[in-house]
Amino acid sequence: MTSAEAGALRRLAPPARRFLAHRKGVLVRLALWSLAESGQAFLVGHAVARSVDEGFLAGDPRRGLLWLGVALVAVLSGARVVRGVFAQLAGVTEPLRDGLVRRAVDRSMARAAPGGPGGTDRAAVSRLTNQVEIARDSFAGLVLTLRSFVFTATGALLGLLSLHPALLVVVLPPLAAGLALFLVTLRPMAAAQRRALAADEALGDHAASARAALRDLAACGTGPGVERRGADLVADAAAAARTLAGWAAVRTAALGVAGHLPVLALLVAVEWLRGHGVSVGALLGAFTYLVQSLLPALHTLMTALGAAGSRLLVVLDRILGPETETETETEAETEADRVPVPEPVSVLKSQPGPSTASASAAAFAVDMAAAPAVELRAVTLSYGARAEPVLDALDLCVAPGEHLAVVGPSGIGKSTLTRLVAGTLAPSSGEVRVAGRPVTGRPAAELAALRVLVPQDAYVFSGPVGDNLAYLSTDACRAELDAAVGAFGLGPLVERLGGLDGTVRPAELSPGERQLVALVRAYLSPAPLLLLDEATCHLDPASEARAEEALAGRAGTLVVVAHRLSSAVRADRTLVLDGVRAWCGTHAELLDRSPLYRDLTGHWNS
């Protein structure tokens, strides 16, 4: 048994004892109905043996039929016994369900109450519905299975003893061996199930978080690290599945030993048993006990105890166990909040150091000084062979250090343009260059050194504030972080979160606060080109102006998909996409030359 399981058992034992102690009456009535089930099991085999020995073989078919009638009555009475058992079972399982619901509600209310941990209890709904139902169903299944096996086995074994003691000598050894082998597998198989479940959850979380951040992973060049982490998780899940399959094979063998060997042993030992005075009727009665009562009960026990027992232990520990700080933080996260970081490193260094992105950018320093920052040569892009092109033979040249705004109606191709420049989308024809180098097909690490793409739906991850801000610049020192926070007016938010060492919980940030964090992250990046795809749409005009001025003052080139007219006015030049042709010029030049830009300006002003 693992330490987690042992700790769960220790925590759950006292409340379990108290729960059962308050329901002694129900348990006594349940035991009485179970005794009736023992009598039923005893009568079936015993009546078959008597019908053969004292009836048909003795030449008295009427007596044989009478004993078979007794067996039939015993079988039919099983329906009444089962009804009585289920009536008493509700007196145990429903109070358990009610108690778990009260516990889940109290836990959630205590968290939200003054003095509690605070935050949204995202697991409350799961505990009140799915987990409570799993606990109730698993508990009911275990009670039914254990009770049925104990009382049925007692009745069957007493029946075998009443027919002839030699029968027990043949049946008990393989039965006990199979049951012992099954019990030996319980602990390692439970541990293997837990490991397999953890590996599966880790792989699912990784896949979900990576899927939600695909565009950002490509833009930041962290895809290879995430891919390696995914491969490791797949290998871990496969190893856990193989271990679980191995123990499942051992459990199947235990079921075969206990479920089939007693019958085979009885068949092999017929001659020996007959020599020790066992009658034909006793042999048929023994087979009846094995096939109709003992072996089905044992099969059900092995099947239910391995599955329902593990589920019940895990779910009860989740509901009744203490709520740790780690659990609280985990439940507060959502899939979109988890950003895979291959190696957790501290980014608050006292001295700046070299980074991979800085080294890669330095390798292209000569090209960036001589070549345009962004260059598109007859770029065309269509989403399909027969689709109308989103961009058609577009030429564009952006000088190093220039601030360019991109405007146009919704769906005209502004985001497509930023993806082409970022290298996350390949053109249908033409060529896209950044710092003089083609970006199509270039390795992610080189692209990450050249540009940063900030999308409209900015992401942050659960972790320290400083790690979020310096995610793209691991050599940023604390002074640089403080300066960036001041430049973007992020001080009140950082102070509210507890400073640079405070913890970011993504679900507690507004969309605008998330965008500010992402903009500071891009500002600190050593990449010479910043691409903002409506990355300020959730900011108020003053905050947007402050952010764009800070980014424009940064060394490097800035391309902004404009959300307001003010962004176009602040830019050195503006690119207008109208679906027919592209216009590029200053604000004054476009007012004179582009009818669409005049219309957009009138719309913005109104």
Side-chain angles (χ1 to χ4, degrees), residues 251-307:
R251 177 170 290 180
T252 302
L255 185 59
V257 170
H260 300 289
L261 279 188
V263 176
L264 294 177
L266 202 57
L267 289 172
V268 172
V270 165
E271 185 177 353
W272 179 82
L273 291 170
R274 291 288 290 159
H276 284 74
V278 179
S279 66
V280 175
L283 285 172
L284 289 177
F287 280 112
T288 302
Y289 281 129
L290 288 176
V291 175
Q292 295 295 324
S293 300
L294 194 57
L295 299 185
L298 182 63
H299 183 277
T300 304
L301 173 71
M302 290 184 174
T303 304
L305 190 59

Tab-separated table of all heavy atoms in Angstrom, residues 251-307:
chain	number	residue	atom	x	y	z
A	251	ARG	N	-4.330	-10.894	-11.421
A	251	ARG	CA	-5.666	-10.977	-10.820
A	251	ARG	C	-6.556	-11.939	-11.618
A	251	ARG	O	-7.356	-12.684	-11.036
A	251	ARG	CB	-6.299	-9.593	-10.772
A	251	ARG	CG	-7.709	-9.591	-10.219
A	251	ARG	CD	-8.207	-8.193	-9.970
A	251	ARG	NE	-7.510	-7.587	-8.833
A	251	ARG	CZ	-7.754	-6.347	-8.388
A	251	ARG	NH1	-8.655	-5.611	-8.992
A	251	ARG	NH2	-7.089	-5.870	-7.365
A	252	THR	N	-6.433	-11.923	-12.941
A	252	THR	CA	-7.203	-12.864	-13.754
A	252	THR	C	-6.804	-14.304	-13.435
A	252	THR	O	-7.655	-15.206	-13.365
A	252	THR	CB	-6.973	-12.576	-15.243
A	252	THR	OG1	-7.355	-11.228	-15.528
A	252	THR	CG2	-7.794	-13.519	-16.118
A	253	ALA	N	-5.498	-14.519	-13.231
A	253	ALA	CA	-5.039	-15.853	-12.846
A	253	ALA	C	-5.618	-16.271	-11.499
A	253	ALA	O	-6.015	-17.433	-11.298
A	253	ALA	CB	-3.509	-15.884	-12.803
A	254	ALA	N	-5.680	-15.302	-10.551
A	254	ALA	CA	-6.263	-15.607	-9.240
A	254	ALA	C	-7.729	-15.986	-9.383
A	254	ALA	O	-8.215	-16.923	-8.716
A	254	ALA	CB	-6.110	-14.399	-8.320
A	255	LEU	N	-8.442	-15.284	-10.249
A	255	LEU	CA	-9.846	-15.603	-10.475
A	255	LEU	C	-9.998	-16.992	-11.097
A	255	LEU	O	-10.924	-17.746	-10.762
A	255	LEU	CB	-10.473	-14.540	-11.378
A	255	LEU	CG	-11.977	-14.649	-11.635
A	255	LEU	CD1	-12.750	-14.585	-10.330
A	255	LEU	CD2	-12.426	-13.548	-12.588
A	256	GLY	N	-9.085	-17.342	-11.996
A	256	GLY	CA	-9.138	-18.663	-12.592
A	256	GLY	C	-8.863	-19.766	-11.582
A	256	GLY	O	-9.538	-20.812	-11.583
A	257	VAL	N	-7.877	-19.527	-10.703
A	257	VAL	CA	-7.552	-20.535	-9.679
A	257	VAL	C	-8.740	-20.749	-8.748
A	257	VAL	O	-9.143	-21.888	-8.449
A	257	VAL	CB	-6.303	-20.110	-8.890
A	257	VAL	CG1	-6.095	-21.016	-7.678
A	257	VAL	CG2	-5.072	-20.138	-9.788
A	258	ALA	N	-9.317	-19.629	-8.274
A	258	ALA	CA	-10.415	-19.758	-7.313
A	258	ALA	C	-11.730	-20.141	-7.980
A	258	ALA	O	-12.572	-20.795	-7.354
A	258	ALA	CB	-10.589	-18.442	-6.554
A	259	GLY	N	-11.909	-19.772	-9.232
A	259	GLY	CA	-13.199	-19.980	-9.872
A	259	GLY	C	-13.337	-21.269	-10.647
A	259	GLY	O	-14.460	-21.709	-10.909
A	260	HIS	N	-12.209	-21.889	-11.039
A	260	HIS	CA	-12.291	-23.083	-11.880
A	260	HIS	C	-11.611	-24.307	-11.270
A	260	HIS	O	-12.067	-25.426	-11.463
A	260	HIS	CB	-11.682	-22.798	-13.259
A	260	HIS	CG	-12.366	-21.692	-13.998
A	260	HIS	ND1	-13.632	-21.809	-14.525
A	260	HIS	CD2	-11.968	-20.419	-14.286
A	260	HIS	CE1	-13.988	-20.687	-15.114
A	260	HIS	NE2	-12.996	-19.816	-14.986
A	261	LEU	N	-10.508	-24.086	-10.542
A	261	LEU	CA	-9.796	-25.237	-9.981
A	261	LEU	C	-10.643	-26.054	-8.992
A	261	LEU	O	-10.510	-27.285	-8.963
A	261	LEU	CB	-8.496	-24.771	-9.318
A	261	LEU	CG	-7.316	-24.532	-10.267
A	261	LEU	CD1	-6.046	-24.276	-9.471
A	261	LEU	CD2	-7.111	-25.699	-11.216
A	262	PRO	N	-11.497	-25.419	-8.140
A	262	PRO	CA	-12.305	-26.251	-7.244
A	262	PRO	C	-13.191	-27.254	-7.999
A	262	PRO	O	-13.321	-28.408	-7.587
A	262	PRO	CB	-13.150	-25.228	-6.474
A	262	PRO	CG	-12.326	-23.999	-6.483
A	262	PRO	CD	-11.645	-23.991	-7.823
A	263	VAL	N	-13.780	-26.833	-9.120
A	263	VAL	CA	-14.616	-27.738	-9.908
A	263	VAL	C	-13.766	-28.844	-10.516
A	263	VAL	O	-14.135	-30.040	-10.485
A	263	VAL	CB	-15.368	-26.959	-10.997
A	263	VAL	CG1	-16.176	-27.907	-11.882
A	263	VAL	CG2	-16.274	-25.910	-10.375
A	264	LEU	N	-12.613	-28.455	-11.092
A	264	LEU	CA	-11.732	-29.465	-11.678
A	264	LEU	C	-11.224	-30.435	-10.619
A	264	LEU	O	-11.152	-31.658	-10.858
A	264	LEU	CB	-10.553	-28.768	-12.383
A	264	LEU	CG	-10.898	-27.916	-13.606
A	264	LEU	CD1	-9.659	-27.226	-14.153
A	264	LEU	CD2	-11.543	-28.769	-14.685
A	265	ALA	N	-10.872	-29.891	-9.437
A	265	ALA	CA	-10.391	-30.762	-8.364
A	265	ALA	C	-11.474	-31.744	-7.929
A	265	ALA	O	-11.195	-32.923	-7.646
A	265	ALA	CB	-9.929	-29.911	-7.180
A	266	LEU	N	-12.706	-31.274	-7.908
A	266	LEU	CA	-13.812	-32.144	-7.517
A	266	LEU	C	-14.016	-33.260	-8.546
A	266	LEU	O	-14.265	-34.423	-8.185
A	266	LEU	CB	-15.082	-31.314	-7.373
A	266	LEU	CG	-16.211	-31.894	-6.501
A	266	LEU	CD1	-15.731	-32.186	-5.097
A	266	LEU	CD2	-17.378	-30.915	-6.477
A	267	LEU	N	-13.877	-32.915	-9.833
A	267	LEU	CA	-14.014	-33.934	-10.870
A	267	LEU	C	-12.887	-34.972	-10.796
A	267	LEU	O	-13.118	-36.184	-10.925
A	267	LEU	CB	-14.009	-33.276	-12.252
A	267	LEU	CG	-15.264	-32.468	-12.618
A	267	LEU	CD1	-15.035	-31.720	-13.926
A	267	LEU	CD2	-16.476	-33.376	-12.739
A	268	VAL	N	-11.656	-34.485	-10.584
A	268	VAL	CA	-10.513	-35.395	-10.511
A	268	VAL	C	-10.605	-36.318	-9.300
A	268	VAL	O	-10.209	-37.487	-9.344
A	268	VAL	CB	-9.197	-34.584	-10.491
A	268	VAL	CG1	-7.998	-35.503	-10.213
A	268	VAL	CG2	-9.000	-33.860	-11.826
A	269	ALA	N	-11.175	-35.786	-8.199
A	269	ALA	CA	-11.197	-36.548	-6.946
A	269	ALA	C	-12.463	-37.381	-6.770
A	269	ALA	O	-12.712	-37.890	-5.665
A	269	ALA	CB	-11.040	-35.583	-5.765
A	270	VAL	N	-13.265	-37.529	-7.818
A	270	VAL	CA	-14.519	-38.288	-7.676
A	270	VAL	C	-14.251	-39.703	-7.179
A	270	VAL	O	-14.907	-40.210	-6.250
A	270	VAL	CB	-15.280	-38.298	-9.017
A	270	VAL	CG1	-16.369	-39.366	-8.988
A	270	VAL	CG2	-15.896	-36.933	-9.301
A	271	GLU	N	-13.279	-40.389	-7.796
A	271	GLU	CA	-13.009	-41.772	-7.401
A	271	GLU	C	-12.545	-41.849	-5.946
A	271	GLU	O	-12.963	-42.736	-5.188
A	271	GLU	CB	-11.959	-42.368	-8.340
A	271	GLU	CG	-11.692	-43.845	-8.086
A	271	GLU	CD	-10.716	-44.424	-9.081
A	271	GLU	OE1	-10.353	-43.708	-10.048
A	271	GLU	OE2	-10.307	-45.583	-8.899
A	272	TRP	N	-11.678	-40.892	-5.576
A	272	TRP	CA	-11.189	-40.881	-4.184
A	272	TRP	C	-12.319	-40.599	-3.203
A	272	TRP	O	-12.425	-41.214	-2.143
A	272	TRP	CB	-10.089	-39.836	-4.057
A	272	TRP	CG	-9.522	-39.723	-2.665
A	272	TRP	CD1	-8.568	-40.511	-2.109
A	272	TRP	CD2	-9.899	-38.764	-1.674
A	272	TRP	NE1	-8.313	-40.113	-0.816
A	272	TRP	CE2	-9.121	-39.031	-0.531
A	272	TRP	CE3	-10.819	-37.706	-1.640
A	272	TRP	CZ2	-9.234	-38.279	0.645
A	272	TRP	CZ3	-10.921	-36.965	-0.486
A	272	TRP	CH2	-10.147	-37.240	0.642
A	273	LEU	N	-13.193	-39.643	-3.573
A	273	LEU	CA	-14.318	-39.307	-2.703
A	273	LEU	C	-15.286	-40.468	-2.569
A	273	LEU	O	-15.813	-40.747	-1.481
A	273	LEU	CB	-15.043	-38.070	-3.258
A	273	LEU	CG	-14.276	-36.745	-3.169
A	273	LEU	CD1	-14.988	-35.665	-3.960
A	273	LEU	CD2	-14.122	-36.306	-1.706
A	274	ARG	N	-15.550	-41.151	-3.692
A	274	ARG	CA	-16.441	-42.300	-3.630
A	274	ARG	C	-15.871	-43.388	-2.723
A	274	ARG	O	-16.605	-44.067	-1.999
A	274	ARG	CB	-16.656	-42.866	-5.041
A	274	ARG	CG	-17.461	-41.964	-5.956
A	274	ARG	CD	-18.919	-41.923	-5.576
A	274	ARG	NE	-19.540	-43.205	-5.869
A	274	ARG	CZ	-20.661	-43.645	-5.312
A	274	ARG	NH1	-21.260	-42.903	-4.379
A	274	ARG	NH2	-21.184	-44.814	-5.637
A	275	GLY	N	-14.552	-43.503	-2.740
A	275	GLY	CA	-13.918	-44.475	-1.869
A	275	GLY	C	-14.003	-44.121	-0.406
A	275	GLY	O	-13.826	-44.990	0.457
A	276	HIS	N	-14.227	-42.864	-0.104
A	276	HIS	CA	-14.359	-42.415	1.292
A	276	HIS	C	-15.810	-42.240	1.695
A	276	HIS	O	-16.110	-41.542	2.674
A	276	HIS	CB	-13.593	-41.115	1.505
A	276	HIS	CG	-12.107	-41.306	1.585
A	276	HIS	ND1	-11.342	-41.575	0.468
A	276	HIS	CD2	-11.244	-41.287	2.656
A	276	HIS	CE1	-10.060	-41.682	0.832
A	276	HIS	NE2	-9.979	-41.525	2.157
A	277	GLY	N	-16.711	-42.792	0.914
A	277	GLY	CA	-18.110	-42.829	1.321
A	277	GLY	C	-18.945	-41.654	0.878
A	277	GLY	O	-20.063	-41.458	1.389
A	278	VAL	N	-18.478	-40.855	-0.064
A	278	VAL	CA	-19.263	-39.722	-0.559
A	278	VAL	C	-20.249	-40.241	-1.598
A	278	VAL	O	-19.858	-40.882	-2.587
A	278	VAL	CB	-18.357	-38.636	-1.170
A	278	VAL	CG1	-19.195	-37.481	-1.705
A	278	VAL	CG2	-17.351	-38.127	-0.146
A	279	SER	N	-21.510	-39.981	-1.402
A	279	SER	CA	-22.541	-40.482	-2.307
A	279	SER	C	-22.621	-39.652	-3.578
A	279	SER	O	-22.076	-38.544	-3.667
A	279	SER	CB	-23.898	-40.475	-1.598
A	279	SER	OG	-24.279	-39.131	-1.320
A	280	VAL	N	-23.340	-40.203	-4.552
A	280	VAL	CA	-23.553	-39.479	-5.810
A	280	VAL	C	-24.336	-38.193	-5.569
A	280	VAL	O	-24.049	-37.126	-6.138
A	280	VAL	CB	-24.290	-40.383	-6.815
A	280	VAL	CG1	-24.629	-39.600	-8.089
A	280	VAL	CG2	-23.457	-41.600	-7.151
A	281	GLY	N	-25.337	-38.282	-4.727
A	281	GLY	CA	-26.114	-37.086	-4.420
A	281	GLY	C	-25.271	-36.011	-3.762
A	281	GLY	O	-25.424	-34.810	-4.053
A	282	ALA	N	-24.355	-36.457	-2.855
A	282	ALA	CA	-23.469	-35.488	-2.205
A	282	ALA	C	-22.556	-34.811	-3.226
A	282	ALA	O	-22.281	-33.605	-3.143
A	282	ALA	CB	-22.649	-36.165	-1.120
A	283	LEU	N	-22.085	-35.590	-4.209
A	283	LEU	CA	-21.251	-34.995	-5.261
A	283	LEU	C	-22.028	-33.971	-6.080
A	283	LEU	O	-21.533	-32.873	-6.375
A	283	LEU	CB	-20.722	-36.101	-6.176
A	283	LEU	CG	-19.591	-36.978	-5.617
A	283	LEU	CD1	-19.303	-38.140	-6.556
A	283	LEU	CD2	-18.343	-36.142	-5.386
A	284	LEU	N	-23.273	-34.313	-6.454
A	284	LEU	CA	-24.092	-33.347	-7.194
A	284	LEU	C	-24.409	-32.115	-6.351
A	284	LEU	O	-24.431	-30.979	-6.846
A	284	LEU	CB	-25.383	-34.022	-7.654
A	284	LEU	CG	-25.239	-35.053	-8.778
A	284	LEU	CD1	-26.579	-35.705	-9.079
A	284	LEU	CD2	-24.683	-34.403	-10.036
A	285	GLY	N	-24.658	-32.325	-5.069
A	285	GLY	CA	-24.891	-31.189	-4.177
A	285	GLY	C	-23.663	-30.298	-4.072
A	285	GLY	O	-23.770	-29.063	-4.040
A	286	ALA	N	-22.457	-30.937	-4.030
A	286	ALA	CA	-21.216	-30.150	-3.964
A	286	ALA	C	-21.044	-29.312	-5.227
A	286	ALA	O	-20.669	-28.129	-5.167
A	286	ALA	CB	-20.023	-31.085	-3.765
A	287	PHE	N	-21.299	-29.931	-6.395
A	287	PHE	CA	-21.213	-29.165	-7.640
A	287	PHE	C	-22.226	-28.012	-7.643
A	287	PHE	O	-21.941	-26.919	-8.141
A	287	PHE	CB	-21.460	-30.089	-8.836
A	287	PHE	CG	-20.259	-30.896	-9.232
A	287	PHE	CD1	-20.238	-32.267	-9.058
A	287	PHE	CD2	-19.148	-30.268	-9.760
A	287	PHE	CE1	-19.127	-33.010	-9.426
A	287	PHE	CE2	-18.026	-31.002	-10.137
A	287	PHE	CZ	-18.012	-32.386	-9.971
A	288	THR	N	-23.408	-28.257	-7.088
A	288	THR	CA	-24.417	-27.203	-7.005
A	288	THR	C	-23.939	-26.055	-6.142
A	288	THR	O	-24.102	-24.864	-6.485
A	288	THR	CB	-25.726	-27.769	-6.455
A	288	THR	OG1	-26.173	-28.838	-7.290
A	288	THR	CG2	-26.804	-26.696	-6.409
A	289	TYR	N	-23.353	-26.377	-4.981
A	289	TYR	CA	-22.825	-25.333	-4.105
A	289	TYR	C	-21.764	-24.492	-4.814
A	289	TYR	O	-21.752	-23.259	-4.701
A	289	TYR	CB	-22.219	-25.964	-2.851
A	289	TYR	CG	-23.226	-26.363	-1.809
A	289	TYR	CD1	-23.216	-27.653	-1.263
A	289	TYR	CD2	-24.173	-25.464	-1.354
A	289	TYR	CE1	-24.134	-28.026	-0.300
A	289	TYR	CE2	-25.105	-25.830	-0.389
A	289	TYR	CZ	-25.089	-27.104	0.132
A	289	TYR	OH	-26.008	-27.465	1.081
A	290	LEU	N	-20.876	-25.162	-5.567
A	290	LEU	CA	-19.789	-24.446	-6.234
A	290	LEU	C	-20.314	-23.570	-7.372
A	290	LEU	O	-19.994	-22.391	-7.463
A	290	LEU	CB	-18.760	-25.445	-6.772
A	290	LEU	CG	-17.879	-26.148	-5.746
A	290	LEU	CD1	-16.980	-27.165	-6.432
A	290	LEU	CD2	-17.035	-25.152	-4.976
A	291	VAL	N	-21.118	-24.167	-8.240
A	291	VAL	CA	-21.522	-23.475	-9.466
A	291	VAL	C	-22.594	-22.423	-9.211
A	291	VAL	O	-22.585	-21.341	-9.810
A	291	VAL	CB	-22.001	-24.509	-10.511
A	291	VAL	CG1	-22.535	-23.797	-11.761
A	291	VAL	CG2	-20.885	-25.457	-10.869
A	292	GLN	N	-23.542	-22.705	-8.303
A	292	GLN	CA	-24.667	-21.808	-8.092
A	292	GLN	C	-24.423	-20.756	-7.015
A	292	GLN	O	-25.020	-19.681	-7.059
A	292	GLN	CB	-25.915	-22.629	-7.718
A	292	GLN	CG	-26.407	-23.546	-8.812
A	292	GLN	CD	-26.889	-22.775	-10.032
A	292	GLN	OE1	-27.465	-21.701	-9.915
A	292	GLN	NE2	-26.649	-23.336	-11.213
A	293	SER	N	-23.559	-21.022	-6.054
A	293	SER	CA	-23.443	-20.118	-4.908
A	293	SER	C	-22.028	-19.610	-4.690
A	293	SER	O	-21.752	-18.396	-4.776
A	293	SER	CB	-23.935	-20.823	-3.635
A	293	SER	OG	-25.271	-21.213	-3.758
A	294	LEU	N	-21.098	-20.522	-4.417
A	294	LEU	CA	-19.787	-20.115	-3.932
A	294	LEU	C	-18.962	-19.391	-4.992
A	294	LEU	O	-18.458	-18.284	-4.766
A	294	LEU	CB	-19.038	-21.348	-3.414
A	294	LEU	CG	-17.789	-21.073	-2.572
A	294	LEU	CD1	-18.132	-20.200	-1.385
A	294	LEU	CD2	-17.179	-22.384	-2.110
A	295	LEU	N	-18.820	-19.979	-6.159
A	295	LEU	CA	-17.958	-19.385	-7.181
A	295	LEU	C	-18.514	-18.082	-7.763
A	295	LEU	O	-17.753	-17.139	-7.984
A	295	LEU	CB	-17.701	-20.411	-8.286
A	295	LEU	CG	-16.983	-21.690	-7.813
A	295	LEU	CD1	-16.663	-22.596	-8.989
A	295	LEU	CD2	-15.727	-21.354	-7.032
A	296	PRO	N	-19.825	-17.961	-8.026
A	296	PRO	CA	-20.334	-16.641	-8.463
A	296	PRO	C	-20.105	-15.545	-7.428
A	296	PRO	O	-19.765	-14.408	-7.782
A	296	PRO	CB	-21.837	-16.897	-8.679
A	296	PRO	CG	-21.928	-18.347	-8.981
A	296	PRO	CD	-20.872	-19.001	-8.135
A	297	ALA	N	-20.311	-15.895	-6.130
A	297	ALA	CA	-20.077	-14.893	-5.086
A	297	ALA	C	-18.619	-14.475	-5.044
A	297	ALA	O	-18.283	-13.298	-4.859
A	297	ALA	CB	-20.520	-15.442	-3.733
A	298	LEU	N	-17.708	-15.451	-5.211
A	298	LEU	CA	-16.281	-15.145	-5.204
A	298	LEU	C	-15.898	-14.290	-6.407
A	298	LEU	O	-15.115	-13.337	-6.286
A	298	LEU	CB	-15.481	-16.453	-5.207
A	298	LEU	CG	-13.963	-16.314	-5.158
A	298	LEU	CD1	-13.549	-15.639	-3.860
A	298	LEU	CD2	-13.296	-17.672	-5.291
A	299	HIS	N	-16.430	-14.593	-7.571
A	299	HIS	CA	-16.143	-13.805	-8.776
A	299	HIS	C	-16.608	-12.360	-8.596
A	299	HIS	O	-15.889	-11.406	-8.925
A	299	HIS	CB	-16.836	-14.451	-9.980
A	299	HIS	CG	-16.539	-13.758	-11.273
A	299	HIS	ND1	-17.218	-12.631	-11.689
A	299	HIS	CD2	-15.625	-14.025	-12.246
A	299	HIS	CE1	-16.746	-12.234	-12.845
A	299	HIS	NE2	-15.786	-13.062	-13.211
A	300	THR	N	-17.807	-12.186	-8.058
A	300	THR	CA	-18.320	-10.829	-7.824
A	300	THR	C	-17.456	-10.084	-6.814
A	300	THR	O	-17.177	-8.884	-6.973
A	300	THR	CB	-19.771	-10.897	-7.321
A	300	THR	OG1	-20.557	-11.637	-8.260
A	300	THR	CG2	-20.355	-9.503	-7.165
A	301	LEU	N	-17.019	-10.782	-5.778
A	301	LEU	CA	-16.160	-10.157	-4.767
A	301	LEU	C	-14.868	-9.657	-5.391
A	301	LEU	O	-14.459	-8.511	-5.173
A	301	LEU	CB	-15.856	-11.166	-3.661
A	301	LEU	CG	-14.834	-10.699	-2.616
A	301	LEU	CD1	-15.435	-9.612	-1.740
A	301	LEU	CD2	-14.347	-11.865	-1.772
A	302	MET	N	-14.205	-10.491	-6.155
A	302	MET	CA	-12.928	-10.095	-6.751
A	302	MET	C	-13.088	-8.930	-7.722
A	302	MET	O	-12.251	-8.034	-7.781
A	302	MET	CB	-12.313	-11.293	-7.479
A	302	MET	CG	-11.812	-12.393	-6.563
A	302	MET	SD	-10.988	-13.701	-7.503
A	302	MET	CE	-10.365	-14.743	-6.180
A	303	THR	N	-14.172	-8.968	-8.489
A	303	THR	CA	-14.391	-7.908	-9.475
A	303	THR	C	-14.699	-6.568	-8.804
A	303	THR	O	-14.157	-5.526	-9.168
A	303	THR	CB	-15.536	-8.279	-10.423
A	303	THR	OG1	-15.243	-9.534	-11.040
A	303	THR	CG2	-15.727	-7.212	-11.497
A	304	ALA	N	-15.578	-6.604	-7.805
A	304	ALA	CA	-16.034	-5.359	-7.177
A	304	ALA	C	-15.008	-4.787	-6.215
A	304	ALA	O	-14.808	-3.573	-6.156
A	304	ALA	CB	-17.346	-5.606	-6.432
A	305	LEU	N	-14.346	-5.655	-5.450
A	305	LEU	CA	-13.432	-5.154	-4.423
A	305	LEU	C	-12.259	-4.407	-5.037
A	305	LEU	O	-11.824	-3.382	-4.511
A	305	LEU	CB	-12.920	-6.328	-3.575
A	305	LEU	CG	-12.148	-5.950	-2.307
A	305	LEU	CD1	-13.021	-5.101	-1.400
A	305	LEU	CD2	-11.677	-7.199	-1.582
A	306	GLY	N	-11.756	-4.905	-6.170
A	306	GLY	CA	-10.622	-4.238	-6.793
A	306	GLY	C	-10.968	-2.885	-7.377
A	306	GLY	O	-10.196	-1.934	-7.258
A	307	ALA	N	-12.162	-2.769	-7.994
A	307	ALA	CA	-12.524	-1.513	-8.657
A	307	ALA	C	-13.224	-0.538	-7.719
A	307	ALA	O	-12.789	0.597	-7.521
A	307	ALA	CB	-13.411	-1.816	-9.859
